[in-house]
Structure formats: structure tokens, C-alpha cells
Amino acid sequence: MVSTNPPSPSIVILAAGLGKRMFSTLPKVLIPVCGRPMLFQILDRIAEVSPRSRVAIVVGHQKDLVMERVRAENYQFPVSFVEQAEQKGTGHAVKCAMESDFGKLAVEKKETVLVLPGDLPLMTAELLREMLEPLKRGTAMRILTANLSDPFGYGRIVRKGKKGAVLRIVEEKDATPREKLIQEVGVSIYSFQAQFLATGVSQLKNQNAQKEYYLTDLVSAAVSKKRTIETHLWDSPEDVRGVNNPYELSLASDILNARVIKKHALNGVRFLDLKSCRIDPTAEIERDVIVYPGVVIEGKTRIGSGTVLGPNVHLKNMTVGSGCEVKTGTVGEDSTIQDQVKLGPYAHLRPGSEVKKGAKIGNFVELKKTIIGEESSVAHLSYLGDAEVGARVNIGCGFVTCNFDGRVINGSRKHKTVIEDDVFVGSDCQAVAPITLKRGSFIASGSTITETVEAESLAIARARQVNKPGYAKKLKPQGT
Ligand code: UD1
Ligand code: CA
């Protein structure tokens, strides 16, 4: 039986390098660009374009961490890891892959093998699609090139004459001053015929400035074997920018951020300033959302339609409903804000909070692990931690839940405050937890509540006022 499906390609990703110039404790390929590690951004594109591929990741530096993090992502395609114990260059990394079972199978099945570096997080789905096209019979390799106005650091494409056949790639450190003027560069993305690749990497030499086995040397190897090389000029250089130092990391995040913002803007999100906002690719924003300057949206965050954000709002891993107003402040890891909530300015949501429909959280209010019920209001200068507040509750200015006093109760050092529906709390009150203010109760201003308040009752917990006529005079210095 002849299968009509195109052969599923094999993909090798080079991720063993130390990335010394990144000055990071993380292995280079796990460094995030716009919140997502570079390596995952590449794997995400593969999942999008070629989910039936077999993928081998060459690991070395901090390999256990890289493997653990990749496994936790649960990609649907099979991922195998190949160890490159010592980093002797890109050619050596591919040699390790081709000598493994992964590489042997690719040779046996006469596959096209796509090789990708782990430090090009901006490669697009279109780019991968084109590079995954099976090679024509007799073609040994396809190389992707780009014209860069500043080609420093990249391997230069040396051609016969100006536009003739490619002869070799010369690395920055090996290039003559004349070769350094060449603006066409190789970007470390190639498709190879598996057998050519396996033989080629086994024959590489390391006689060069860096004493490394260069994968780029396979170009001159193909030329001397009179094999066909296809070159493919990618005309959008932004997609093939490598990340080799913190400056290039910032450039890459600028590019990715601009792409994300463009996508949202075309989907109906209105940005008042395209340049001052940062939005991770993992964020979902519905249409009719208005974004003021200085908005940062990180991680898996969802924003419902008609919500107005900013200026200066930071949202991380949280859900914001529709028709909300979120002004200056707010982080809210693992928090939820339902529809029509007004938040801020300077509200600080700490992890695990939930603000239900139509509620209002005003300025300088901090919530931690707290639920605020529908239509309730905490308008000014308050702290609520480990609290459960019902519906239509009014909390006056300057309320504090005293959730921590050093005692351990039922194994917990933080104690709970429950405020049931329709409670009214006057200004400047404290609730010493664990405590419950029952349905419809009324707490007088300035009270420190230490005992359960029964439903519909009034609690006053402050000293009664004493007025002493004329006494003020005695307290003031004589003669005033
Ligand atoms: C490489 C290319 C260069 C190209 C540039 C594009 C070579 C010799 N040079 O240079 O022509 O213009 O990419 O971005 O191929 N790696 C390993 N094991 C190693 C060495 C590297 O796995 O022993 C991995 C790194 O983790 C990285 C990738 O290979 O993800 C590229 O290595 P890097 O050192 O960044 O190469 P460049 O100097 O950028
Ligand atoms: Ca690189």
C-alpha cells in the first residue's frame, strides 16, 4: 500500500551550548523571551506546523533541567534527547544526534532532516513550513540565508562571483576583512538529506579559529562532493535573529512583543500607545478591550471584552472578565476578576484572590487569598488576607483583617475572616481572625472586632467617648 501522507520529517534542535555571553544561571535555551523559553517557542512552532515530526534535542549544559522542563510541556510529538557531553561545536552536536538511534532511523528511512539552533526564538511557522519541504532527489542540503545590514557574528555566505553558486560559509572569527563585508549570512537553519548529513558530520575537522567542529563546513563538503546545494534567501531578517547576549535578547523581545501587539490590534484591541505595552504571547485578549500606556500582561492571562486596562497595570497569570476597569496597580497571580469589576488605582492583588461580578476594589487596597462577593465594595486603604466576603458588603475606609498573630490554629499560622452577605463595616475597623461577621450585621466605625458578630446585630468595640468641658486649656502651655 502506498501512503499518501508526506513523510514526517525528523528535526534536530541544538540546545547543548552554555551561552556564556548571556550571563544567566539558566541554560541559554531556557531563557525566556516575552515570558516563554526560547526552546519552547521553537517547539511551539513545530507543534503548529509539523506535529507528526520526530524531534531530537541535543542537550549538554544543565541537561537535566532542560529535559525536565521540556518533558513537563507534554508536546504531542515524540521528543528524544541526545547528549553532547562536551560542547565541541555545532557540527559535533549534530554528529551526536546522527550517531544516535534517532539519526540511524532517519538514514534508514531516507528522511529529510531539519536542523535548527535553539537560540532563534523568532522563527515563524511559514519559515518552518518552507524548510520542511522534502529535498529534491540528488540535493544534499538546503540552507536558509538572510541579508543583514549588520552581519557581525554570523557565518557569511561565500559565493562564486557576486551572485553565483554558494562555495562555503565562513564564520566571523575565521573571515578575512573582505569576507566580513559580505551581508548575506547563514542563520543555522538547514534541511539535509539524512545520509549526506550523517557522513558529512563524521568527516568534519576542527582546524579553525575556535577549534570547533562547524556544521557550516558541510557546505564546502557538499561543493567538493559535487552535490547540489539549494539556498533559500529569507527576506524578513527579523525572523532569523539569533540571541547570543542580553542586548540581542532585548531586541528579540521587542520584535516578538510588536508581533503580539499587532495580532491583538488587528483582532479589535485598541492600544493607545503601541510602544509602551508588553504582552506575552500566552495572553488572550477579547475584542473591544482598551489598553492605556504602560500595561504589562504576563503569562496565561485572559481579558474579557470591553474591559479598560491602565494606565500602568501589571497583570500576571490571571483572568479578568468583561466590562471591567482596571487602573494602575494589580498583579494578581492566579486571581480572577469577574465581569464589571472596578479595580484600582493602586489596588494590589496578591495570589489566589477572586473579585466577583460588579464589585469595587478602590485605591490602596491589598487582597491576598481573598474572595470578594458580587456588588461588594472595598473602596479605600484596606488589607484583606485569607478572607471570604459575601455579596453587597460595604467595607469602609481603612479596614484590616488581622490574619496573623503568631498563633498556630489547626496547623495554620494565617487565620480566616468570614464576612457574610449584606454586612456593613464602618471606617477604620479591624477584624481579629479567626472570626465571622454574620449576615446583615453592622460594625461601628473604629471597632476592633474579636468575637463573632451575630446576624443583623450592631457591634461597637471602642471606648465610649467622654467630653470634659474646658479641659483642653489645662493641656496647653500657659498663655496660649
Ligand atoms: C552559528 C553558526 C553561524 C550562524 C549563527 C546563526 C556554526 C559554526 N555557526 O553561530 O554560521 O550565522 O549560528 O545564529 O554553526 N550548540 C550545541 N553544541 C555545541 C555548540 C553549539 O548544541 O557544541 C548549540 C547552541 O546551544 C546554540 C546553537 O547550537 O543553540 C548555535 O550555537 P552558537 O554557539 O550560538 O553559534 P553561533 O556562534 O551563533
Ligand atoms: Ca547563536
Side-chain angles (χ1 to χ4, degrees), residues 356-377:
K356 295 199 174 162
K357 194 171 167 193
K360 179 171 187 247
I361 306 297
N363 50 179
F364 301 105
V365 171
E366 175 180 347
L367 302 183
K368 189 219 65 173
K369 268 198 201 154
T370 283
I371 301 172
I372 303 290
E374 286 190 16
E375 307 291 335
S376 289
S377 165

Side-chain angles (χ1 to χ4, degrees), residues 13-19 21 28-29 58-60 84 86-94 116-120 151 153-156 169-173 185-190 210 212-217 240-244:
I13 305 178
L14 309 184
L18 167 68
R21 279 175 295 149
K28 178 170 164 182
V29 293
V58 182
V59 290
Q84 184 195 20
E86 223 185 307
Q87 283 76 64
K88 299 183 191 168
T90 48
H92 178 252
V94 174
L116 303 172
D119 62 351
L120 261 68
Y154 289 79
R156 311 296 205 282
I169 299 182
V170 61
E171 290 304 301
E172 175 80 35
K173 292 200 171 120
V185 302
V187 297
S188 243
I189 298 179
Y190 323 77
Q210 303 184 80
E212 281 185 6
Y213 295 90
Y214 291 163
L215 188 58
T216 41
D217 283 349
V240 289
R241 282 255 159 223
V243 172
N244 301 293

Side-chain angles (χ1 to χ4, degrees), residues 392-409:
R392 299 170 303 279
V393 168
N394 182 82
I395 297 206
C397 178
F399 175 69
V400 175
T401 56
C402 310
N403 60 338
F404 175 63
D405 56 10
R407 288 180 298 164
V408 177
I409 303 176

Side-chain angles (χ1 to χ4, degrees), residues 66-122:
V66 176
M67 294 193 295
E68 182 194 315
R69 295 284 306 273
V70 172
R71 285 194 186 114
E73 288 293 304
N74 281 322
Y75 285 103
Q76 75 246 52
F77 44 77
V79 177
S80 51
F81 296 96
V82 174
E83 187 178 359
Q84 184 195 20
E86 223 185 307
Q87 283 76 64
K88 299 183 191 168
T90 48
H92 178 252
V94 174
K95 182 169 180 257
C96 295
M98 294 314 286
E99 284 173 353
S100 73
D101 290 344
F102 173 92
K104 286 179 191 154
L105 187 63
V107 172
E108 199 181 295
K109 291 171 72 183
K110 297 191 165 45
E111 285 178 340
T112 294
V113 180
L114 178 68
V115 176
L116 303 172
D119 62 351
L120 261 68
L122 300 169

Side-chain angles (χ1 to χ4, degrees), residues 152-222:
F152 178 81
Y154 289 79
R156 311 296 205 282
I157 304 289
V158 180
R159 289 179 181 273
K160 199 173 183 178
K162 257 214 158 135
K163 288 200 169 148
V166 56
L167 297 175
R168 61 195 176 94
I169 299 182
V170 61
E171 290 304 301
E172 175 80 35
K173 292 200 171 120
D174 301 290
T176 62
R178 224 183 137 83
E179 285 168 337
K180 283 184 182 157
L181 298 175
I182 300 172
Q183 290 185 314
E184 189 186 8
V185 302
V187 297
S188 243
I189 298 179
Y190 323 77
S191 320
F192 291 99
Q193 190 250 314
Q195 181 63 64
F196 169 80
L197 181 60
T199 315
V201 287
S202 70
Q203 294 170 346
L204 286 174
K205 301 260 177 332
N206 66 348
Q207 283 143 5
N208 52 55
Q210 303 184 80
K211 298 277 170 286
E212 281 185 6
Y213 295 90
Y214 291 163
L215 188 58
T216 41
D217 283 349
L218 290 191
V219 174
S220 45

